[in-house]
Amino acid sequence: MPERVHHRFDDGPPPAKKSKTSAAIESYGNIQEQKTLNATTQLEPSKAVQIRPEHRNSGPHHLKVQQTRSSSSLKDKSTALLRFRKELPIWSHTEEIRQSLRSKDVLLLVGETGSGKSTQVPQFLIDEQWCRPQSVKILNEEKQQKISVGGCIGITEPRRVAAITLARRVAEEMGTPLGSSSPASKVGYSVRFDNSTSPSTRIKFLTEGMLLQEMLRDPWLRQYSAVIVDEVHERGVNVDLVMGFLKNIVSGKKEGRGGLPLKVAVMSATADLEGLQKFFDDKHDWKVQREILQGSEEVDNGSNNKFENSEEIGSEWSGIVSDGDEDASNPKINSTRGTDQESSSKHSLKSNGNPNGHYAGDESLEESYISSSPPPKPQPDSAYVSVCHISGRQYPVQTIYSPHPVPDFVDAALRTIFQIHYKEPLPGDILVFLTGQETVETLESLVREYALALPSTVPKLLILPLFAALPQSAQQLVFQPTPPKTRKVILATNIAETSVTVSGVRFVIDCGKSKIKQFRSRLGLDSLLVKPISQSAAIQRKGRAGREAPGKCYRLYTEQDYLALAPAPTPEILRCDLSQAILTMKARGVDDITAFPFLDPPPRDALEKALMQLFQLGALTDAGRINDLGLQIARLPLSAPLGRVLLAAADPALDCLPEAIDIIACLSVENIFLPLTSEEAKEQAESARRALVRREGDHLTLLTTVQEYAAEKADRKAWAERHFVSHRAMQAVMVRRPPLPPVALQPPLTDPPSPAQDVRKQLLAQTTHLRAPSSHSPTSTAPPRSPLAPSPTLTTAILKAFLRGFAANTARLLPDGSYRSLAGNQAVAIHPSSGLFGRRVEAIVYNEFVFTNRSYARGVSAVQMDWVAEVLGV
């Protein structure tokens, strides 16, 4: 067991700005110059063919030569990486994993952080016989149709940054170009607003939401031979839906796949194997499955008589079990189980798998955080599910706790960063886990300020933020190699917690907290509060330090605080607004929500609230079934209210689609207005933004800002600085204003100059077929709109479009100057950041109703009560 160190994080203030202490000089007296970077982390992503200047116009011969060289370079890189792949703990279990999915359709794999499961498992399976495309016949409208099924492996990730970086890494290891950069690419990815695949793609990383979108077009997932669900322990609402749909596919007759099974692998570093095995075993139609695999051979259930009388599963494409037995079909995962439980399955894999001899299976108390739980009951060997447990990571991580509670974790993190920088030699980058964008930017400014005063004998600091709202191009900067004589400091939210290996990280600083969103269905109120993380999240964060070398994890909380943490996080489906989830299910043919196989059934009042909201949006019929409008909303990569706004804006009666897209693009990225702390800065910003603020409210203010930014032809960055607007966010909203495409085509997405330019283009493309001729159309005879300052008629149309999507988020003015919501009669206060703060208007519509230190409406615009009555039909 490694040494447990209690260290004081407040030993003195941060380094003085102009101090050159002898301690600092001494601590770096023996720093060795970094000669080479770790080969396994410094390989750059695959690039397009580079043509030398003298060959730039020399004909196709030279291009072919360069392509050959590029291919050779990819193969050389793959060969170099093979040595490091063989050192991963999972490598020695290649054949066991393959054999598990040859004999059974479901594999539950628990492997410790750093074991290599996310990158290696798809490569282990891609050459299997069952993973090749096969031609089958299916019955389509009483006619037999010949189709191709399988050939691709899909790997779902909870976050887009994980999907992209893992795809890039696997492409390097396989020696193939990435995504749409080459028609021969075998590895690609698909995330929101960014699809980078080719016709030859065999391994595709995608977010859980994108797999749900694909199910709209192909409910049987015929493109895939296998689907791997990674990081299932995070329990986001999308992963719960994916698990339910996959269970229905693998447990039915598979007539939509011509009888071919879909292999499913569920992976995590911290998961409840017993609960997941029960989830896939319950209500499985064993007779149907065995008949498919072995013809008419009878199933000998032995003592498992509970399967003999199981009802036949419906043959609808969704495969939903509709007998209404909610308790049996929705086994609740026991979140108190841990990762070090040994499965009784004969396929359980127990080995540290580490050729270097570093065993980290039970290295500290936190790795057995469920020790107080009773041992799992022995599970009978499943005829359907294989269970594999891979112990061991490549390198140990030392845990360092704070001896006493930390009152200010931002200040403690600042001190710890410089403590590490002064005392630890290179190489060794630092990854800091914080709660949100605000704390990331606050600490970033502090570190930059103190870094200016570092002595010349001390290496430089490279500070990089990483959070979800950051543009993709900015996120990818953290994965670039660290320059020589420099230490990289990554300031991240929990986006870097799982499935992301940041090159060179040896030190992790964990604040022990994260922002948790809780939806109160009765009030329709979202609360976003900073709360302690779970023990499983703490283990994941710690594991980031031991991916490439022995590391250290500095926890800014005491060991007693760690032991008091919940073993696992509360599943998101139990604490979120379910309207989007239910729309997703309805669009995929699930009419009986209570019969859907949830890992954890959501509360009934939350379901009722979500159904009512969808009905008010016009997405459901009186009978609760999805209608054409609901299907259109479900196909858009937006939340249900924003999707409804977009469709309303495309209506010829309102005709404000381009303006609505500009506003929605602003709402889809980080805050376009820079956060301000000092009163002086707030006064300067108020004066500078006066020309941008519209009296109608925040939505028109966002539109005006986008239009003014687009109209700036000289220096947009300087314009953004003058108006205290985030240039980075505005680049993510719109680099240039593209014309409306004539047809709904998807643009190429290889290394785009601006991710949000793709957001606008794709939203325009996906709604082009809905548009009627307007003043933006080449065939329109109406006078052109002014690029700035929308007319009163257009302003009214924009606000009415947003009312269609947010009719439930409206409030009226009371005589005492306060606001009360029309739905629920709740007190509503306008957020201080709103342009309507302190003003009195007849009624308001708002994007969010959130609780921070009190209940606030954010994203607020003024509307008229007769507009609200028109939308609500009263």
Side-chain angles (χ1 to χ4, degrees), residues 196-229:
S196 184
T197 57
S198 76
S200 303
T201 296
R202 299 288 312 282
I203 295 177
K204 180 162 72 171
F205 287 85
L206 67 170
T207 56
E208 296 143 359
M210 292 306 298
L211 184 65
L212 292 172
Q213 282 289 322
E214 289 189 8
M215 286 183 182
L216 275 177
R217 304 188 300 271
D218 180 15
W220 286 102
L221 296 176
R222 296 188 183 103
Q223 174 188 356
Y224 300 100
S225 295
V227 172
I228 300 173
V229 184

Side-chain angles (χ1 to χ4, degrees), residues 87-93 114-116 352-355 390-394:
E87 294 178 356
L88 293 170
I90 200 172
W91 184 265
S92 60
H93 302 298
S115 62
N352 64 11
N354 182 12
I390 299 175
S391 299
R393 63 165 67 99
Q394 279 191 289

Side-chain angles (χ1 to χ4, degrees), residues 685-832:
E686 183 179 355
S687 175
R689 296 172 183 166
R690 189 169 290 124
L692 305 177
V693 176
R694 292 291 302 270
R695 61 182 180 84
E696 293 87 355
D698 300 334
H699 298 94
L700 273 297
T701 297
L702 293 175
L703 177 61
T704 302
T705 304
V706 171
Q707 293 174 333
E708 292 279 359
Y709 180 86
E712 175 63 33
K713 304 300 182 184
D715 189 343
R716 288 181 175 175
K717 185 175 183 180
W719 181 94
E721 291 175 354
R722 289 197 307 272
H723 293 84
F724 293 84
V725 169
S726 171
H727 178 59
R728 180 179 64 195
M730 292 306 300
Q731 282 183 310
V733 171
M734 182 185 58
V735 169
R736 57 184 175 87
R737 296 179 64 84
L740 287 176
V743 292
L745 297 175
Q746 181 173 315
L749 295 173
T750 305
D751 296 327
S754 168
Q757 182 179 339
D758 295 330
V759 173
R760 297 190 72 258
K761 280 188 175 181
Q762 291 195 39
L763 287 176
L764 285 167
Q766 293 187 43
T767 55
T768 298
H769 64 287
L770 302 173
R771 299 187 74 255
S774 69
S775 58
H776 277 296
S777 172
T779 61
S780 175
T781 58
R785 295 171 177 165
S786 169
L788 302 177
S791 65
T793 302
L794 182 57
T795 296
T796 300
I798 294 170
L799 295 177
K800 284 186 175 181
F802 273 88
L803 266 177
R804 297 285 178 88
F806 294 93
N809 289 3
T810 51
R812 67 187 187 280
L813 180 67
L814 297 182
D816 63 359
S818 64
Y819 292 92
R820 285 272 176 176
S821 63
L822 296 178
N825 199 35
Q826 299 294 322
V828 178
I830 298 177
H831 196 271

Side-chain angles (χ1 to χ4, degrees), residues 43-49 66-81 168 170-178 181-182 184-185:
L43 297 174
E44 295 185 9
S46 304
K47 296 183 178 180
V49 177
Q66 292 295 329
Q67 289 173 336
T68 303
R69 291 176 179 173
S70 176
S71 176
S72 176
S73 175
L74 290 172
K75 294 299 181 184
D76 292 344
K77 190 180 297 184
S78 174
T79 303
L81 285 172
R168 181 170 286 120
V170 172
E172 291 174 350
E173 292 183 354
M174 292 183 64
T176 177
L178 175 64
S181 61
S182 168
S185 168

